[in-house]
Structure formats: structure tokens, C-alpha cells
Amino acid sequence: MHLTKEEEKTLKGENGEVMERLFRLLVRLGEIYGADKMIPVGSVQVAGVSYKSIGDPGTEFLEDMASKGAKVKVLTYLNPAGMDLENWKEYGFPADFAKNQLRIMDAFKKMGIVVTSTCTPYLAGNLPRFREHIAWSESSAVSFSNSVIGARTNREGGPSALAAAICGVTPNYGLHLWEKRQPTVKVDVDFDLNYNSDFGALGYFVGKQIKNKIPYFTGIKSANTDQLKALGAAMAASGAVALYHVEGLTPEADLVEKKGLETISVGKKEIKETYGKLNTGKEPDIVIFGCPHASLREISALADRLDGKRLKKPVWICTSRMIKEAAERMGYNEIITKAGGTIVADTCMVVSPIEKMGYKTTGVNSGKAANYLPGFCKQEVCFANIDDLVEGQL
Amino acid sequence: MKGRMISPGKAEGQAIVSPEPIGFYGGIDIKTGIVIEKGHPLEGKSVKDKILVFPCGKGSTVGSYVIYGIKKNGVAPAGIINKETETIVATGVILAGIPCIDQIDIGKIKSGDSIVIDADNSEVKIKK
């Protein structure tokens, strides 16, 4: 790999031990994946934030880095934490867990990382531009930025994203290269996608089929960014899809080479079967929306359905702190809270310890959540659209 | 034997060889450096100050932090030799500063062999 004179110096330790280690990590990863050089990144999003995911080993590593004076060079956001960072006590998050989670947040803050904690940084002030190189971690955020925005990122692990933030560069390989962004399979959709959960089911089905390929969708007539968010998140969870193109909708779709691709078809039968497969539970103890984190439009949709109603069983909606503030101003939070619901910020159902909070069956409209809840949180799942889920809790 | 340098430095010690991959998160105790994965060929053995030889890593990416943690706790192996170092182990050894070489025919190394790793020159020597 070609390194500049300054980069050679860093590798020799002339810019300190922390820089030497972190830069060496990027060089090694670049060599493993065949990168030719380092490229500057416009922004970073770091995963491995929840204490539930990284435990004591990760916490101690981050504290160690922070105490050695590591500082980020570019705008850096965080993945969701394991709890609401402000209202954790009120929502019943365990105190010993909270103590460790707050240690992690302090370490990140010391390094100059914006302690945002969201899987939708693009809705909360970290918005890359078309063709901008970035180093993001969270699989749905990687999918959204690559596919819907047309920015360029590989799926980074926690340490490699942190290294990119502190060094300001990432190795040039994989999805940073135009030739690696070409579709490798065509997906013909013959189904009227309506609810966001329909997009989740489609994504779950396709991800299972194509694993880490790059799909080119045809037949999706329209989709807003919430629906594309749901589609990409589910494909990244059930498979390892980091980039997808949709004819007529996503920015690179017209530019990529689409000839001679193997084709798979998805219709009513496949979508219906996926709904069936994702339903492992009978009746939810709790319904949780906002995987990935809810947009203002999604919070407004929930508020509409809860206005003047009274919930018999809990409903949560997870979002970023920024969107929660906007929802507060619009009065959505008040409507949801009055009905007995809860708006949780900074965290999500997958990385929070919900299994320790007494819940056994969770209702979701997210293909991604339905994929992870049984394993990570030992939950039975009810997968349905927002109307059916809300109706069931009233 | 010539291999590829993953993490620089020199190390010397007794080989401890696992024919199976190692998952550090949940596989090795971070405070003692003892292999705790049930049914693993090295279960109950300590990796401290050894030259740890295994084909490749497996499991959670938190494993990188465990490698860093065992080094900080003073119970890390002196060096690591792999058939193929994947990103979890590469990340861990580089952050921890543990000398590591891969692309080595690990079938030629037996537990108890006295090993010298010269990662800077991408070289592994067996002193029988």
C-alpha cells in the first residue's frame, strides 16, 4: 500500500503510541483487503457503544484510549447506547448497567466524539454528501448512506471506525471503489408495498436469499426514506447487504451496470410467508417501534394512532435525542405519553437489556428487530404493521 | 519459517497449539488468561507468556478488546502465530502490541516447542 511521508512517520511512532497503533490497524486492514492507499473520510460513526455489547473489555479499552489523549479529527457520532442516557432510571434500566454505560459515554466524550447515540446519524446532524468517503459502523446506517445517499463506506467494526476517526483516513478498498458498487443480483418485486413493515419483510426475505450480494431492485414504485431505511436495515440484518440500488429511486441506480444479472422474484407469496416466519410469539408483552431509530414522521404516525386512546400494555418508540426534541415541540411526546406510551432516546430494543426487564414477547414492525430479538434479547416476536400492533395494545 | 507480519516485535516462549479456532470473547478469561470455552482443546490451560498458535479467530468482534484486556492484565501470550489472521485477532494484537505472524504452516509446531517470533522480519523459528 502506498503511504505518504507523513503516514510513514506515524507508523514509525513519531506521532505518538496511540496514533501508531491505530494507524497500524488501518494499514493492516487495508493490506488484508487489498487497499492501494489511505483516503480522507468526511465523517465517522462508531459502533460498540452499548455496555451490553462490549462489556468490561471494551469499556476498559475506551477509557485507556481516552486517558492516553486520543482525539478525533472528523465529525464522529455514536451508535445507540444500552439505555436512555437521561431517563434511564424512570424507564427501569438497571443501575449497575447504567453506571458502566455512563463510563463508556464519558470516554467517548473525552475523545471529542459527539455523544449522540443513534443508528440514524443522517437524521440527527451527521449527513454525508453523494460520493463522500466516510467510515461508518452500524449496518443499517451503512446501508442507508451507501444506498439512499450514495456516500461510500465499508461496514466498519468498532475499533476500525475509532481508528478512522482519530487518524482521519480509511483504507481505500471495497465500497469506496466504484467498480465494487455494481449490482450482483437483480430483484424483481411484484407486490404493492404499503406499510413500513412490508419493506422490512421484503428486506428480510431478500437478505436471507442473497447474503452479501448487491441487489438491484425493480418494481418498487415509490418509497420514502423511512421505508428505504426499513428495507436496508432488514437486508443488513438477515444478510450482510451494505449497498442496494432501486430503479428510479436511489442515486446510483441509473449509473451502475445492470446487464446479465441473475434474477430473483419476490411476490405476495414470499412476503406473506416472511410475515409468518418472523412471528414466533402469540401476544406481545410490549410493542417497540423505532428500529432503526424513528424519524419525526414515524413518531407523528404513532401519535396519530394514540391520540385520545389509553394503552393497556406498553408501547415504546425509540429514536435519537434530536428527533425526540422535535417531537416534544410538536406535542407528539405528550400525546404518546398521555396514552401510556414511552419515547425512549439514545438506545434501542436490540442493545438494551429488555430481557432483564421482564419482557418475553415483543411486537415489532421492523424486519431487523425481528431478526435480532430472539438471539440477543431472548424474545419471542410478533411481527406486524403499526395499525395491528397498536390495536393489540389498546 | 517465513510468514507475514501482522503486528511488529520479537517474542520467545513455549508453544501452546490449538488445532481449533479461538474465540477470545467468552473463550478466554480476561483476568487470568485461561481458556474457558467448554470443550475447547485448550480448555483450562493458560496462554500467559506462551506463543499461542491457532489457525484463526472466530466469534464476536468484542474478541479484539479481550486480546487488549489480557495484555493490560499481564496474562497475554508473548506472541501469536496463525494460519490466517482475520480482522478480529489482527485488530486485537495490533492494539495490544502483541507480536503476531500469519501464513505459517502451523501443523509443523507442537505444544511445548520452544519458539522464537521475529515479526519485524516475518520469521518464526522452532528451537527443539
Side-chain angles (χ1 to χ4, degrees):
Chain A
M1 178 162 32
H2 172 76
L3 296 179
T4 65
K5 278 194 181 135
E6 194 51 40
E7 288 169 345
E8 293 280 4
K9 276 189 195 167
T10 302
L11 210 52
K12 282 184 191 134
E14 289 180 29
N15 292 315
E17 183 201 318
V18 169
M19 280 291 281
E20 188 256 326
R21 295 267 173 90
L22 293 175
F23 190 65
R24 182 175 300 284
L25 173 61
L26 296 178
V27 171
R28 176 57 57 204
L29 294 175
E31 281 170 353
I32 290 173
Y33 295 113
D36 60 340
K37 61 178 179 182
M38 292 292 169
I39 43 171
V41 290
S43 75
V44 171
Q45 190 238 7
V46 175
V49 177
S50 171
Y51 179 69
K52 180 175 164 178
S53 314
I54 66 170
D56 292 327
T59 309
E60 284 162 22
F61 168 77
L62 293 168
E63 287 183 332
D64 211 27
M65 284 289 117
S67 73
K68 284 176 177 160
K71 287 268 186 263
V72 298
K73 286 202 175 69
V74 297
L75 180 68
T76 303
Y77 269 42
L78 289 176
N79 222 19
M83 61 182 198
D84 188 299
L85 295 168
E86 285 174 23
N87 306 93
W88 57 268
K89 217 176 258 173
E90 184 188 335
Y91 299 156
F93 288 94
D96 51 341
F97 184 91
K99 197 179 128 212
N100 286 313
Q101 186 64 65
L102 293 172
R103 277 172 60 196
I104 294 171
M105 303 318 286
D106 279 347
F108 280 128
K109 202 169 166 184
K110 256 190 208 151
M111 290 189 262
I113 294 172
V114 186
V115 282
T116 40
S117 287
T118 177
C119 46
T120 58
Y122 46 88
L123 294 179
N126 185 353
L127 179 66
R129 65 162 166 80
F130 184 56
R131 288 182 179 152
E132 186 169 33
H133 294 285
I134 58 177
W136 285 19
S137 293
E138 199 277 323
S139 66
S140 81
V142 164
S143 171
F144 191 95
S145 57
N146 270 325
S147 313
V148 183
I149 300 169
R152 298 185 177 185
T153 180
N154 290 311
R155 185 179 168 188
E156 300 293 341
S160 66
L162 189 63
I166 286 165
C167 300
V169 294
T170 195
N172 189 35
Y173 72 93
L175 294 177
H176 291 287
L177 306 170
W178 175 238
E179 61 269 26
K180 302 280 189 194
R181 299 176 65 85
Q182 305 301 313
T184 52
V185 60
K186 191 162 162 272
V187 182
D188 282 339
V189 181
D190 182 19
F191 180 75
D192 233 347
L193 299 157
N194 179 19
Y195 283 107
N196 292 6
S197 55
D198 295 344
F199 284 83
L202 172 65
Y204 183 89
F205 176 82
V206 172
K208 274 272 182 235
Q209 302 293 311
I210 69 169
K211 306 203 164 60
N212 61 355
K213 288 185 181 160
I214 300 173
Y216 181 88
F217 285 94
T218 60
I220 300 178
K221 288 170 206 87
S222 78
N224 64 28
T225 45
D226 296 337
Q227 293 164 333
L228 293 172
K229 165 163 80 76
L231 173 68
M235 279 194 291
S238 71
V241 177
L243 166 65
Y244 64 91
H245 304 288
V246 185
E247 185 180 51
L249 298 185
T250 61
E252 289 178 343
D254 288 346
L255 310 171
V256 292
E257 180 56 55
K258 300 160 283 261
K259 278 186 202 131
L261 295 173
E262 141 202 26
T263 302
I264 61 172
S265 300
V266 187
K268 193 176 178 182
K269 178 175 163 275
E270 286 79 13
I271 300 286
K272 264 191 107 176
E273 278 171 10
T274 304
Y275 268 90
K277 194 179 162 193
L278 291 176
N279 270 285
T280 56
K282 286 197 181 73
E283 210 183 300
D285 305 322
I286 181 169
V287 165
I288 310 183
F289 297 106
C291 171
H293 273 170
S295 68
L296 193 58
R297 183 167 42 205
E298 289 171 302
I299 296 177
S300 151
L302 179 63
D304 278 350
R305 286 162 174 83
L306 290 180
D307 199 2
K309 304 273 171 59
R310 185 68 212 163
L311 287 163
K312 288 203 180 72
K313 286 186 292 178
V315 171
W316 286 12
I317 186 161
C318 300
T319 189
S320 62
R321 182 68 51 188
M322 283 76 165
I323 295 293
K324 188 181 173 180
E325 290 296 333
E328 178 72 40
R329 185 168 281 188
M330 288 308 294
Y332 303 150
N333 295 7
E334 201 187 332
I335 294 171
I336 292 169
T337 314
K338 257 193 185 157
T342 306
I343 300 194
V344 182
D346 312 314
T347 185
C348 85
M349 58 196 103
V350 176
V351 299
S352 66
I354 54 171
E355 70 280 12
K356 290 183 185 156
M357 297 163 82
Y359 302 115
K360 291 197 170 63
T361 304
T362 302
V364 295
N365 69 339
S366 155
K368 172 176 176 152
N371 182 81
Y372 284 131
L373 285 177
F376 287 179
C377 303
K378 300 178 181 69
Q379 297 292 298
E380 306 268 344
V381 168
C382 295
F383 177 76
N385 67 54
I386 182 174
D387 285 322
D388 292 347
L389 287 170
V390 169
E391 194 59 43
Q393 301 297 92
L394 289 172
Chain B
M1 285 187 279
K2 275 278 183 188
R4 175 174 69 162
M5 184 263 275
I6 298 291
S7 172
K10 291 185 176 62
E12 212 175 323
Q14 210 183 36
I16 177 169
V17 183
S18 166
E20 300 286 323
I22 294 180
F24 284 81
Y25 186 58
I28 293 198
D29 184 82
I30 197 165
K31 298 223 162 63
T32 61
I34 290 171
V35 177
I36 50 173
E37 185 185 327
K38 292 265 170 271
H40 194 275
L42 299 185
E43 188 184 349
K45 295 194 172 130
S46 166
V47 300
K48 181 175 185 271
D49 301 330
K50 300 274 171 49
I51 303 294
L52 182 57
V53 184
F54 57 102
C56 59
K58 65 168 183 182
S60 164
T61 53
V62 181
S64 305
Y65 293 135
V66 173
I67 296 175
Y68 188 85
I70 55 177
K71 174 72 181 178
K72 236 183 113 229
N73 292 335
V75 294
I80 287 179
I81 300 173
N82 293 142
K83 186 159 172 272
E84 190 74 42
T85 305
E86 39 54 70
T87 56
I88 300 170
V89 172
T91 301
V93 291
I94 290 167
L95 294 179
I98 298 172
C100 176
I101 293 185
D102 80 338
Q103 295 176 358
I104 293 286
D105 180 2
I106 61 169
K108 290 190 175 146
I109 306 173
K110 289 179 186 58
S111 282
D113 284 353
S114 185
I115 304 283
V116 180
I117 295 183
D118 179 357
D120 303 336
N121 292 307
S122 308
E123 206 171 23
V124 171
K125 278 188 199 140
I126 309 176
K127 302 193 298 184
K128 300 249 172 178

